Amino acid sequence: MPAAAVAAGVLALSACGSGGTSGGSSGAGFVTGTGGIDTVAKSKRQDAPELEGETLDGDRLSTADYKGKILVINVWGSWCTPCRAEAPYLAKVAEETEAKGVAFVGINTRNPEKGPALAFEKDFGVGYPSLYDPTGKQLLRFPKGSLNAQAIPSTIVIDRDGKIAARALFALNGEKLHKMIDPLIAEK
């Protein structure tokens, strides 16, 4: 439980940030690209952690079930204004890229009750599942020095090999989402 409290504290300090490009040390192997999107060269990517738990709908979800797909993980809260701004873009790009082997999973955090989060998904047409993680435990699973979630919203993209490939620490639009996803779709 103390680790969860630390995660909640870190997220509270960075909640709904306007974006940033903080990352690991100079040896972390990732660079900040244009627009504050961090990327990692294919040869330097770290394994993504397995995230698993209950979704907002009460189902069980494991990111291990998405092996072989590009997985876009979006950390959000229903109370977060930038999350509201990016939600329609996430929903649209999820639909546009599904046939290309891309899946989306949300991590709803810092919502003490599911009701507001479920209403958020309905209001913005979010058709992909979201893990319910009110204390931020899922976020602690990312390896130290990796591209991990450090703000709300954060978006992390996992390549087909289960490795962390890109991250944004700000609200995304469709164009920026495609800048993160399209290079991975083109990878063979």
Side-chain angles (χ1 to χ4, degrees), residues 28-51:
F30 55 89
V31 296
T32 300
T34 58
I37 295 172
D38 300 315
T39 59
V40 182
K42 188 171 184 170
S43 64
K44 297 187 184 248
R45 295 177 187 159
Q46 291 183 316
D47 288 334
E50 182 179 336
L51 306 176

Side-chain angles (χ1 to χ4, degrees), residues 31-32 36 42 55 66 93 96 99 115 118 120 126 137 145 148 153 160 163 172 186:
V31 296
T32 300
K42 188 171 184 170
T55 66
Y66 295 92
V93 174
E96 291 172 355
L118 288 166
F120 176 100
V126 176
K137 284 183 179 179
N148 52 36
R160 288 183 185 96
K163 306 223 181 247
L172 296 166

